[in-house]
Amino acid sequence: NNMNCIMIEPKNYKLISNSIIKIISQSELRRKIISEGYKISNRYTLEKQIDLIINNLKGYMNDSSNK
C-alpha cells in the first residue's frame, strides 16, 4: 500500500529485489514508510496490549459473576 509497507507476493524474488531497490532509491517513500511504521508501533506498545488484556479479563470476570 506504500503507506507503511510495500506489499509483495511471497517468493517473487524479482519483485522483492525491485521493492528493495525502490526503498533505497526513493528517500521520500522510505521516510514515509518509516514514519507510518513508528505511528503503528506506538499504537501497539506492550503497555497498551497489557492494558487491553487486563480490561478484557475484567470484563469477562464481571460477565461471569453476573450469571
Side-chain angles (χ1 to χ4, degrees), residues 7 19-20 32-33 38-39 47:
M7 301 292 291
S19 296
I20 292 170
K32 180 180 171 185
I33 289 173
Y38 277 126
K39 289 177 188 176
E47 292 80 10

Side-chain angles (χ1 to χ4, degrees), residues 3-63:
M3 286 292 292
N4 53 24
C5 67
I6 295 179
M7 301 292 291
I8 54 174
E9 182 182 326
K11 298 182 182 179
N12 184 335
Y13 304 110
K14 182 76 171 162
L15 186 56
I16 292 170
S17 63
N18 287 342
S19 296
I20 292 170
I21 292 168
K22 183 176 182 179
I23 290 171
I24 291 170
S25 63
Q26 295 182 20
S27 60
E28 186 175 326
L29 174 62
R30 184 174 57 252
R31 282 192 289 273
K32 180 180 171 185
I33 289 173
I34 291 168
S35 175
E36 293 299 319
Y38 277 126
K39 289 177 188 176
I40 290 174
S41 68
N42 285 329
R43 278 190 265 160
Y44 298 101
T45 64
L46 180 59
E47 292 80 10
K48 289 179 182 178
Q49 295 305 305
I50 290 169
D51 289 342
L52 180 65
I53 291 169
I54 289 171
N55 288 333
N56 285 336
L57 289 172
K58 285 179 181 177
Y60 176 75
M61 291 170 61
N62 286 336
D63 289 346

